[in-house]
Amino acid sequence: MKLVRYGAKGKEKPGLIDKEGKLRDLSKVVKDITPEQFTTAGMAALKKLDTNKLPLVKGKPRFGVPFSGVGKFLAIGLNYSDHAEEAGMAIPKEPIMFFKADTSLTGPNDKVMLPQGSKKSDWEVELGIVIGKKARYVTKKDALKHVAGYCVVNDVSEREYQLERGGTWDKGKGCDTFGPVGPWLVTSDEIKDPQNLDMWLDVNGKRFQTGNTKTMIFDAATIISYVSEFMTLMPGDIITTGTPPGVGMGVKPKPRFLKAGDVMTLGIEGLGAQRQEVVAFKK
């Protein structure tokens, strides 16, 4: 299934994308798409629905984050060997973990606002893992059993804040609007192999990132198992898993950072696509 939330910000309705790619309304079935639907019983109930009987949604409404009640918004850094090389950083021996603020969450096609005074904002197309079942000290073998589904994440990053302002990476990762998620949550049964998904990102129509999740240093199962050693993962937590090469910071001979008026388009095979216009800071 492809689960979505659509409508004006703060007033989103639950929906799903049917086999023909059409948006269907779920509001008479569930009040919202929440982690409560990620249980085995919840997923089974949704899968039994005759989607042809669900109301079609007319027009092209806005998509929000595909589920409400997001818990932790975790991220893994330098998780593609070729991205680590372009960043001039050593390949990590263990996953690098950081948090993105929940206030960075935004819809997949909402505008991305540059922080006040930002000079080095950058893009990162990433595979997002959505946890569906409590995970604590899980083995790599069992890790993927705890996944509700997958989604596209743009891990927008302010490199000066991230790398030049001291302390942790979180400073450059959690700015408002720096976490577009969606357009939909694709349930794990539809993604047979999360380690073989093509991914891409363009800025103003020019291709900057081309990659595949098979080149991740630490795969999805390893990441879930590893993170669960340090904290309990709960339904509704998102882990965004790193980016392939082609970020603005790595452009030669001169880095290319985002400016107001730029348009980012990005996507992952089977998980849909996003589009964000970059705008200047506004209080």
Side-chain angles (χ1 to χ4, degrees):
M1 289 183 298
K2 294 180 176 67
L3 300 174
V4 303
R5 295 169 70 244
Y6 68 95
K9 187 174 292 188
K11 297 182 180 179
E12 293 91 347
K13 295 181 179 180
L16 60 77
I17 305 298
D18 67 17
K19 293 181 179 179
E20 297 179 353
K22 296 178 180 178
L23 174 59
R24 301 274 181 170
D25 179 54
L26 272 177
S27 58
K28 292 185 179 179
V29 180
V30 294
K31 292 182 179 180
D32 198 359
I33 305 297
T34 73
E36 293 178 1
Q37 269 78 56
F38 300 163
T39 64
T40 301
M43 287 293 192
L46 291 175
K47 289 174 184 177
K48 288 180 181 178
L49 293 173
D50 183 350
T51 56
N52 291 324
K53 294 182 178 179
L54 295 172
L56 280 169
V57 179
K58 297 180 180 180
K60 296 182 179 180
R62 168 190 173 270
F63 284 135
V65 177
F67 64 97
S68 64
V70 176
K72 296 183 284 294
F73 194 3
L74 288 154
I76 305 298
L78 289 179
N79 196 30
Y80 287 71
S81 56
D82 35 12
H83 171 53
E85 181 180 353
E86 75 172 348
M89 298 180 181
I91 293 176
K93 295 180 180 180
E94 296 186 33
I96 296 171
M97 294 167 48
F98 58 91
F99 282 91
K100 290 181 73 75
D102 56 3
T103 47
S104 73
L105 285 164
T106 191
N109 303 316
D110 291 344
K111 294 178 180 180
V112 166
M113 183 178 68
L114 298 173
Q116 187 172 5
S118 169
K119 296 179 180 179
K120 296 183 179 181
S121 289
D122 204 347
W123 55 82
E124 293 190 10
V125 59
E126 302 197 2
L127 171 68
I129 302 169
V130 178
I131 300 298
K133 180 181 177 183
K134 182 178 178 180
R136 183 170 181 261
Y137 293 105
V138 298
T139 64
K140 181 178 177 180
K141 179 181 178 181
D142 291 334
L144 296 186
K145 297 176 183 178
H146 297 261
V147 176
Y150 302 91
C151 57
V152 181
V153 176
N154 189 355
D155 177 22
V156 188
S157 310
E158 215 298 344
R159 302 302 188 187
E160 181 184 6
Y161 299 177
Q162 176 190 357
L163 302 171
E164 301 174 33
R165 297 289 296 273
T168 66
W169 286 10
D170 307 60
K171 291 179 182 178
K173 298 286 190 171
C175 305
D176 292 350
T177 74
F178 270 26
V181 175
W184 38 73
L185 167 65
V186 181
T187 53
S188 57
D189 59 302
E190 289 200 12
I191 305 299
K192 302 303 181 183
D193 183 6
Q195 300 311 143
N196 190 22
L197 301 175
D198 289 331
M199 52 207 308
W200 57 273
L201 183 144
D202 295 349
V203 180
N204 301 335
K206 179 180 178 180
R207 181 62 47 89
F208 280 88
Q209 289 191 275
T210 301
N212 187 288
T213 56
K214 65 185 178 184
T215 65
M216 287 166 61
I217 298 167
F218 305 105
D219 63 18
T222 299
I223 289 168
I224 294 166
S225 176
Y226 183 85
V227 174
S228 77
E229 294 181 25
F230 302 97
M231 63 194 73
T232 300
L233 294 169
M234 299 296 292
D237 289 350
I238 300 174
I239 307 175
T240 190
T241 56
T243 198
V247 299
M249 178 176 64
V251 173
K252 307 296 183 185
K254 182 180 179 180
R256 199 296 196 190
F257 296 116
L258 293 167
K259 61 183 184 301
D262 285 340
V263 175
M264 295 179 283
T265 51
L266 57 145
I268 298 178
E269 179 183 359
L271 301 181
Q274 302 182 353
R275 179 188 185 277
Q276 298 111 25
E277 178 186 352
V278 180
V279 297
F281 176 79
K282 184 178 180 180
K283 289 185 178 180

